[in-house]
Amino acid sequence: MPRGTWGPQFVEGDEDFDNSPEKERDRESASRWKTKSPASLGGTIDGSLTEVRDMADMFKLAQSLIYRETWTQIVESIRNFNIGEQLSGMLDTFEDKIADLRGDNGEYVQYHALGEGGARTFFTIAAAWKKVVRFGSDLLGIKQAGSPVNKLKRKHQDFNENFEYSINKSDNFKNLPTDSKNKLITDIAESKDGILGEVLAKNDGDLIDAWKKMEDLRADEALRRNPGALDALSKPKRSRPDPSEYLEPGYLSAHRAKFDDGAVRFTTQSNIDKYKTLGGNEAFTMPKSEFDDLIAETGGDLAQIEQRLGLNPGDLTGDDAVIAWIQKKDMGEVKMPSGNEDGVIDEFWIPGGKTSGGVSEGIVDLSNPDILFDPYPF
Amino acid sequence: MSEKKEYILDNGWIVSKQPAEAPILHVTPLPNSIFRVRDDLELPNDIYRDIAEGERSIKELFKKHKLHNLIIKWGEPRKVLPKDNSPAKFYGRGFIVTQEDNKYFLDYQLARQGGGSRKFEISKEIYEEARTGKYATSDLFKKYNLYHLDIPENDVK
């Protein structure tokens, strides 16, 4: 019985072998049925491309010779014409069939049944087509349209590539407890447009650590799945981006609306007397409405309040502590914390305007001594 | 003939009711709590009814009846006292700069809740610029890149 394998075109040890993760993904996914370009295409084109070895290089070469606008039209035409979708569907069917025929060692024990020449030709054309459409779309930033089934397939393929070939091989992921691994996989699978998987796959592991910190500090699911928020958390204080760069305008306005009943600031009478203000120009406050809930939930216990506010034990237990309630009309703009504010406790800070204890927090300028406030000395 | 009723809540506070009188909540100071002032409050009947029927959890009474809003008495709205600048001391927006002998210091309130503060030495140039009154704390940090000094180890208090 004929036996054979359809592996990569070149193997480890070859002069051309490139063991970068990107190339490895290429080999493992689409390059199994790699086409070879004609030798005549090898060469130098304006120093931008030195050798054409596969379809990706052919595409790059073609792109270098044609204006971007033209390529956009070509890719759009291909997509609209739907040949790619049909071929992809046929390819998937054949791949399923191959999988049925494949033995555990990766050899095609009934390889002859498909007809070597015909199958190879079909797979070569189909895989090349699929790669051209997808590679072109990715390069031009065009998301492929298609039926819901195809979108789901694409999502599955993206997840598989990102997870199996990058994230799953990262030490940062391997070191997570099993429960956390499962939760992260769920977050990757359910993040909008699969963006979390894409970003984590390209990152060296810092963002997985940031994700873990968010999980430990009970950040909301939406924030755990927000790569921008993970990036902000992974950066050191003073270099974190403005929250408007990674939070939706609707999220920001909803956060501001929480302060419609005013803001509450914990401070001390001695600080008020010393500095002649309630705080600095970037002072953390909480919504008055949530202050009421906080007292109800903690019974007024300061240790519990400190924990809910993401403070160190003992931060609120001074003898001259004061709770100041600033009415909305007196407090000016409420900003989303960026994590760059002085005195932020890195150990506890998370993006998104909530403390690690789940209480909303906002930044208010309290440096004006003319701000009216209602004090509650306790 | 009915007698005086008395109930003890789970945080130690006592609720009492004399015949033909309104029920009273006797608030006593609790350690490590925001409730540090002794007070006697007249309780609304619906709250008292729950207590008489067996509710003893202060958190449940807070959640269900917002009882804490009766206990927490906010003071009259007020402003902070006027600033009193001197040649060796200037009040900025959220900070103070001082001259102590031949040294200059920036003393500022931390952003976080709780009223923490920090103080570290600065140059004469920063001191004099801060005295112009144009700056808030974060402005000074930005203008003179003082961020690396914003750590507990530099606190000279």
Side-chain angles (χ1 to χ4, degrees):
Chain A
M1 184 188 328
R3 300 170 72 90
T5 56
W6 292 357
Q9 295 284 318
F10 39 81
V11 296
E12 197 162 8
D14 285 356
E15 190 179 329
D16 288 338
F17 187 77
D18 179 349
N19 64 356
S20 69
E22 189 180 348
K23 282 290 179 190
E24 188 179 353
R25 274 202 300 278
D26 277 351
R27 282 194 295 276
E28 290 291 330
S29 57
S31 298
R32 184 168 292 163
W33 318 105
K34 192 184 292 288
T35 58
K36 280 282 192 181
S37 64
S40 59
L41 278 177
T44 301
I45 306 292
D46 293 337
S48 61
L49 192 65
T50 55
E51 191 177 2
V52 178
R53 292 176 298 193
D54 54 27
M55 287 305 297
D57 285 347
M58 285 176 70
F59 189 87
K60 285 178 187 169
L61 171 64
Q63 193 207 20
S64 71
L65 300 174
I66 302 176
Y67 288 116
R68 177 190 166 87
E69 291 73 16
T70 311
W71 261 115
T72 303
Q73 289 170 8
I74 291 170
V75 173
E76 289 282 358
S77 302
I78 290 169
R79 206 174 59 186
N80 294 337
F81 197 52
N82 229 13
I83 287 179
E85 191 174 309
Q86 291 172 34
L87 278 176
S88 295
M90 291 168 69
L91 177 64
D92 290 340
T93 305
F94 268 73
E95 281 176 342
D96 289 345
K97 188 68 180 171
I98 286 288
D100 291 341
L101 298 173
R102 185 168 52 211
D104 289 338
N105 61 359
E107 293 183 343
Y108 297 88
V109 293
Q110 296 181 50
Y111 176 63
H112 65 291
L114 292 170
E116 183 178 359
R120 182 179 283 274
T121 302
F122 172 80
F123 280 119
T124 300
I125 294 170
W129 183 271
K130 202 171 176 181
K131 195 171 179 75
V132 164
V133 172
R134 186 154 176 210
F135 187 79
S137 297
D138 289 347
L139 208 63
L140 295 170
I142 298 168
K143 288 283 179 190
Q144 288 188 69
S147 67
V149 172
N150 267 27
K151 284 180 181 171
L152 196 59
K153 281 181 182 173
R154 169 74 189 263
K155 186 176 178 182
H156 173 74
Q157 190 177 358
D158 285 346
F159 174 83
N160 202 40
E161 286 180 13
N162 291 327
F163 183 73
E164 290 298 336
Y165 300 112
S166 293
I167 300 168
N168 197 28
K169 293 181 178 175
S170 151
D171 287 340
N172 306 65
F173 181 79
K174 288 175 185 168
N175 292 334
L176 291 176
T178 304
D179 286 351
S180 298
K181 282 180 181 170
N182 290 335
K183 192 186 273 189
L184 176 54
I185 291 168
T186 303
D187 281 354
I188 292 168
E190 297 186 3
S191 71
K192 190 180 178 186
D193 296 329
I195 186 70
L196 182 59
E198 279 184 36
V199 172
L200 291 183
K202 290 171 186 165
N203 180 261
D204 59 6
D206 288 354
L207 296 189
I208 292 177
D209 293 344
W211 180 92
K212 180 68 173 76
K213 187 177 177 184
M214 281 218 195
E215 187 208 16
D216 290 344
L217 297 177
R218 295 179 293 279
D220 291 348
E221 183 179 279
L223 288 168
R224 290 200 320 263
R225 295 174 182 176
N226 181 333
L230 292 175
D231 183 51
L233 185 57
S234 72
K235 285 185 159 62
K237 196 162 86 171
R238 308 297 178 195
S239 62
R240 291 172 176 144
D242 189 278
S244 63
E245 291 182 23
Y246 56 84
L247 296 174
E248 298 287 338
Y251 186 99
L252 294 170
S253 59
H255 177 262
R256 279 193 297 274
K258 292 177 180 175
F259 290 80
D260 284 351
D261 291 334
V264 167
R265 165 82 173 169
F266 285 82
T267 184
T268 60
Q269 189 57 51
S270 55
N271 257 17
I272 295 173
D273 294 340
K274 179 179 176 183
Y275 296 97
K276 311 294 186 191
T277 64
L278 278 177
N281 64 315
E282 291 181 337
F284 278 91
T285 62
M286 65 179 295
K288 170 64 166 59
S289 55
E290 290 191 27
F291 170 80
D292 293 339
D293 295 339
L294 180 66
I295 301 306
E297 288 159 11
T298 60
D301 180 78
L302 284 171
Q304 292 181 51
I305 293 173
E306 285 164 348
Q307 187 271 324
R308 295 287 306 276
L309 293 180
L311 299 173
N312 291 310
D315 279 353
L316 299 179
T317 48
D319 288 339
D320 64 343
V322 169
I323 301 172
W325 173 15
I326 306 110
Q327 307 277 353
K328 187 182 180 188
K329 63 182 171 55
D330 298 315
M331 70 186 188
E333 184 186 6
V334 182
K335 292 179 184 169
M336 175 68 72
S338 67
N340 293 324
E341 295 80 11
D342 58 68
V344 158
I345 306 172
D346 272 339
E347 189 184 346
F348 299 131
W349 183 79
I350 48 177
K354 273 192 179 180
T355 68
S356 52
V359 177
S360 296
E361 57 183 2
I363 300 298
V364 174
D365 183 354
L366 297 178
S367 65
N368 184 346
D370 291 330
I371 290 177
L372 272 174
F373 65 96
D374 299 358
Y376 173 61
F378 61 92
Chain B
M1 184 176 148
S2 58
E3 299 174 352
K4 177 184 176 184
K5 303 278 187 187
E6 197 165 274
Y7 307 98
I8 302 176
L9 304 180
D10 66 355
N11 67 347
W13 289 348
I14 294 173
V15 174
S16 65
K17 186 179 184 313
Q18 295 282 3
E21 290 183 15
I24 302 295
L25 170 64
H26 304 279
V27 176
T28 50
L30 299 171
N32 293 321
S33 162
I34 69 163
F35 301 110
R36 295 180 181 175
V37 180
R38 186 178 298 276
D39 200 2
D40 292 329
L41 300 168
E42 195 172 302
L43 275 183
N45 283 332
D46 59 334
I47 301 180
Y48 177 72
R49 195 178 309 119
D50 269 9
I51 295 168
E53 288 174 0
E55 182 60 80
R56 297 291 183 273
S57 166
I58 193 68
K59 289 183 182 177
E60 286 305 312
L61 293 168
F62 283 177
K63 286 177 192 170
K64 185 175 179 185
H65 298 286
K66 305 283 184 192
L67 175 58
H68 52 296
N69 287 342
L70 292 178
I71 302 167
I72 296 174
K73 290 176 175 150
W74 295 96
E76 286 299 309
R78 67 177 174 92
K79 294 179 183 177
V80 180
L81 293 170
K83 296 173 176 179
D84 186 18
N85 293 324
S86 70
K89 188 175 189 177
F90 178 82
Y91 292 91
R93 290 173 48 205
F95 68 88
I96 305 168
V97 283
T98 55
Q99 179 181 357
E100 299 168 29
D101 298 324
N102 291 324
K103 291 185 174 179
Y104 303 91
F105 295 92
L106 172 65
D107 187 341
Y108 59 101
Q109 299 185 79
L110 297 180
R112 66 174 181 242
Q113 295 266 27
S117 63
R118 198 163 284 160
K119 181 179 179 181
F120 56 77
E121 189 173 350
I122 54 174
S123 67
K124 185 179 181 183
E125 178 198 356
I126 298 173
Y127 171 77
E128 290 178 345
E129 187 70 10
R131 286 193 66 106
T132 63
K134 294 188 291 189
Y135 303 97
T137 315
S138 62
D139 301 327
L140 278 179
F141 271 82
K142 191 173 180 182
K143 182 176 173 68
Y144 292 103
N145 195 19
L146 302 175
Y147 300 120
H148 63 289
L149 299 171
D150 180 33
I151 51 176
E153 292 76 10
N154 284 329
D155 200 339
V156 297
K157 286 199 303 292

